[in-house]
Amino acid sequence: MATGLTEVTVRPPGRLDLGPADGLVFAGWTGRACVFGSVRAGDVTVEIGARIADGGCLPAPG
């Protein structure tokens, strides 16, 4: 199924991410907003927001 999201990222959280250390963070661009969140056993969060200062939806994993 196509989501319509571009610039999709799924990865373990980096030091600047707010996601759980035992899960994954994800983000994608709708063309107007970022859809981002985290996934771990028993918990999924999804939020919508603007791009961050570097123009992406997630900070670099650093």
Side-chain angles (χ1 to χ4, degrees):
M1 172 190 328
T3 63
L5 296 175
T6 61
E7 303 173 30
V8 175
T9 303
V10 179
R11 61 173 168 73
R15 65 181 178 83
L16 298 177
D17 292 312
L18 299 177
D22 61 343
L24 297 171
V25 294
F26 63 87
W29 177 245
T30 68
R32 300 186 122 187
C34 292
V35 177
F36 57 92
S38 62
V39 177
R40 69 175 170 183
D43 186 42
V44 176
T45 64
V46 179
E47 299 183 49
I48 298 172
R51 290 183 183 252
I52 61 175
D54 72 0
C57 289
L58 285 177

